[in-house]
């Protein structure tokens, strides 16, 4: 209901992305949500709570895979952010080439992991720094900030704000603008700009999975995740 990034969702997402990547007729993709008011609520907490070590490893590998595929994609990728986008939802937008968000101050976006007692991994941080710069990223990550749309635009987290009814139209126009360039020049430039961050995760992938498992299986972290899930249940009821 809130586009949370479950293991199934991530697997399906990567398969779809790979199909588009292999389809020579497809040169660009716009990512948006069919749900009004929410782009994606981020990683599915139920995947990280009360599961086996094997499950944690499988889930985290799927998160890494999504990051590697989307950040390293040859296609033009545009995020049409039509609602709130915390944590992993923000990450998906950060991985795109261009971000357009609805100009509604009720919608917010950010890597707010610190608020849940979770530390955003180095590759989330690298992507964030590459978009907003070191100082803004440092402050925002430490505070687990969620930025309302106007503030997100001011700090460069999103490239453009548009009225809700213009979002799709604008995303298509921006994609066309990017696709007007010769593919090879754009793709090689993108690869050059992102290669260091991509290589860093590839080199430390297994170590990163082990770090995630040991962190997420700590009783204190499990307790804070359980409390957060209880809070969400109360909100729903």
């Amino acid at each position: 209901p809130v586009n949370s990034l479950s293991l199934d969702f991530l697997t399906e997402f990567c398969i779809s992305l790979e199909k588009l990547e292999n389809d020579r007729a497809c040169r660009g993709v716009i990512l948006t949500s069919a749900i009004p008011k929410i782009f994606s609520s981020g990683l599915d907490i139920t995947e990280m709570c009360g599961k086996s070590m094997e499950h944690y490893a499988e889930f985290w590998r799927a998160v890494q895979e999504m990051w590697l595929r989307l950040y390293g994609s040859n296609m033009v990728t545009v995020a049409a952010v039509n609602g709130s986008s915390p944590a992993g939802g923000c990450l998906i937008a950060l991985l795109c080439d261009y971000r357009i968000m609805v100009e509604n101050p009720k919608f917010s976006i950010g890597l707010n992991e610190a608020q849940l007692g979770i530390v955003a991994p180095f590759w989330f941080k690298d992507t964030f720094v590459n978009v907003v710069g070191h100082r803004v990223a440092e402050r925002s990550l430490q505070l687990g900030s969620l930025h309302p749309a106007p503030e997100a635009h001011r700090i460069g987290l999103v490239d453009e704000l548009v009225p809700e009814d213009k979002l799709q139209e604008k995303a298509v126009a921006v994609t066309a603008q990017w696709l007007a360039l010769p593919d090879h020049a754009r793709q090689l430039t993108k690869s050059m700009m992102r290669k260091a961050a991509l290589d860093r995760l590839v080199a430390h992938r297994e170590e990163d999975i082990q770090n995630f498992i040991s962190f997420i299986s700590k009783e204190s972290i499990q307790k804070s995740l359980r409390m957060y899930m209880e809070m969400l249940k109360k909100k729903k009821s």
Side-chain angles (χ1 to χ4, degrees):
V2 289
N3 288 337
S4 53
L5 309 178
S6 64
L7 183 55
D8 287 349
F9 184 108
L10 290 163
T11 306
E12 201 64 43
F13 186 85
C14 287
I15 290 168
S16 301
L17 213 51
E18 189 176 13
K19 281 181 185 164
L20 295 174
E21 218 46 91
N22 292 333
D23 178 356
R24 296 193 104 157
C26 180
R27 296 167 58 221
V29 63
I30 294 167
L31 295 177
T32 194
S33 164
I35 302 158
K37 298 184 184 169
I38 188 98
F39 179 69
S40 165
S41 65
L43 299 183
D44 188 340
I45 300 230
T46 60
E47 300 281 13
M48 301 185 274
C49 201
K51 300 280 199 293
S52 68
M53 302 290 180
E54 290 74 22
H55 184 88
Y56 295 147
E58 189 184 2
F59 174 64
W60 201 243
R61 190 170 274 110
V63 181
Q64 291 177 335
E65 193 60 33
M66 180 272 292
W67 185 88
L68 290 165
R69 280 195 180 280
L70 190 52
Y71 202 46
S73 175
N74 269 328
M75 297 183 289
V76 168
T77 53
V78 173
V81 183
N82 59 322
S84 286
S85 196
C90 174
L91 183 71
I92 284 186
L94 284 169
L95 299 176
C96 293
D97 297 318
Y98 199 83
R99 285 158 289 286
I100 308 161
M101 190 169 181
V102 171
E103 58 180 11
N104 184 338
K106 287 182 181 165
F107 299 153
S108 58
I109 183 168
L111 294 177
N112 62 322
E113 282 80 355
Q115 288 190 30
L116 309 180
I118 297 172
V119 179
F122 71 85
W123 37 290
F124 282 46
K125 180 270 296 175
D126 287 349
T127 325
F128 201 31
V129 169
N130 288 350
V131 171
V132 299
H134 199 282
R135 176 63 193 131
V136 172
E138 182 181 0
R139 186 177 62 220
S140 188
L141 284 170
Q142 283 197 55
L143 296 172
S145 305
L146 282 173
H147 306 279
E151 190 186 321
H153 182 238
R154 186 177 56 76
I155 65 173
L157 178 48
V158 295
D159 296 298
E160 216 169 325
L161 298 179
V162 294
E164 197 153 0
D165 58 346
K166 296 276 190 288
L167 183 66
Q168 295 293 341
E169 185 188 320
K170 186 69 193 178
V172 170
V174 166
T175 307
Q177 187 189 353
W178 282 61
L179 288 174
L181 289 142
D183 273 349
H184 67 281
R186 181 190 52 74
Q187 287 167 356
L188 287 169
T189 304
K190 180 175 179 174
S191 170
M192 174 179 68
M193 297 299 292
R194 299 186 173 193
K195 189 176 186 305
L198 288 159
D199 286 353
R200 195 167 161 215
L201 176 58
V202 171
H204 298 284
R205 205 168 171 181
E206 291 309 315
E207 182 191 332
D208 180 62
I209 290 170
Q210 292 312 313
N211 285 345
F212 173 74
I213 294 169
S214 67
F215 179 78
I216 213 72
S217 51
K218 281 184 183 147
E219 187 42 46
S220 58
I221 301 300
Q222 285 292 308
K223 188 179 170 186
S224 74
L225 290 176
R226 284 195 297 269
M227 282 164 67
Y228 183 69
M229 280 160 69
E230 281 303 315
M231 187 187 80
L232 289 179
K233 276 179 196 158
K234 278 177 189 155
K235 266 189 187 171
K236 279 177 194 164
S237 57

